[in-house]
Amino acid sequence: MKMPVIQVRDLIASRHFQWIDHLSTTNIEPEFVNDTSKTVVLVTESDFQPGYYANATFKFMQFGCEIQIFYKAKADFDITSAEIEFQRLFVANGWQVAISREHVYDPDTGQLTKTIYVEKQEPILEKRN
């Protein structure tokens, strides 16, 4: 089973959003940290824990990812529509949008940012001998 950040990264990449210029997992590469000419999306893990205990073991893993969007300074697209389509992608693929935070400006770069938390439960299939 792929790690949650890889699952989320692959899902976002599969949609080919035209407004996303760069997609990172865990850390933003140094060349993109202060680049306000690109919209950068960062995916990090926010939850990875067992759940639903039965028969002295757990049956699911609770996965969660934090998605931070750093919009380019001169966004040339409808941010609200883009975010709705973005979040619907997760719902359509078995994820739940747990939290969608308000927009804030990054104090260092002045970029508009958005943070979204997505989660899902992944069943653990028991191996039989």
Side-chain angles (χ1 to χ4, degrees), residues 3-128:
M3 292 180 60
V5 293
I6 303 303
Q7 290 182 38
V8 169
R9 180 204 62 199
D10 291 351
L11 181 58
I12 295 168
S14 74
R15 179 58 182 77
H16 305 289
F17 289 105
Q18 295 299 310
W19 54 272
I20 296 175
D21 298 307
H22 185 71
L23 178 58
S24 296
T25 55
T26 310
N27 291 303
I28 297 176
E29 295 83 347
E31 62 267 26
F32 294 101
V33 170
N34 292 313
D35 187 350
T36 62
S37 69
K38 295 183 178 7
T39 296
V40 176
V41 175
L42 173 64
V43 180
T44 56
E45 192 172 288
S46 63
D47 196 10
F48 190 88
Q49 62 182 326
Y52 186 68
Y53 284 81
N55 297 328
T57 189
F58 54 91
K59 303 295 182 181
F60 287 89
M61 287 300 294
Q62 179 70 35
F63 292 159
C65 286
E66 177 186 75
I67 304 165
Q68 292 177 284
I69 305 170
F70 299 86
Y71 291 105
K72 60 184 172 183
K74 295 181 179 167
D76 53 358
F77 57 92
D78 179 354
I79 290 174
T80 301
S81 295
E83 288 176 4
I84 290 169
E85 183 182 3
F86 186 76
Q87 292 176 74
R88 284 184 172 163
L89 173 69
F90 289 97
V91 174
N93 286 278
W95 291 81
Q96 177 181 352
V97 177
I99 301 171
S100 182
R101 297 257 187 240
E102 67 281 359
H103 296 94
V104 297
Y105 285 95
D106 182 286
D108 297 323
T109 65
Q111 287 173 277
L112 183 66
T113 67
K114 173 78 171 179
T115 303
I116 299 168
Y117 291 88
V118 295
E119 60 186 28
K120 76 173 179 174
Q121 288 185 339
E122 190 76 30
I124 298 172
L125 301 176
E126 300 294 328
K127 294 181 182 180
R128 297 190 184 263

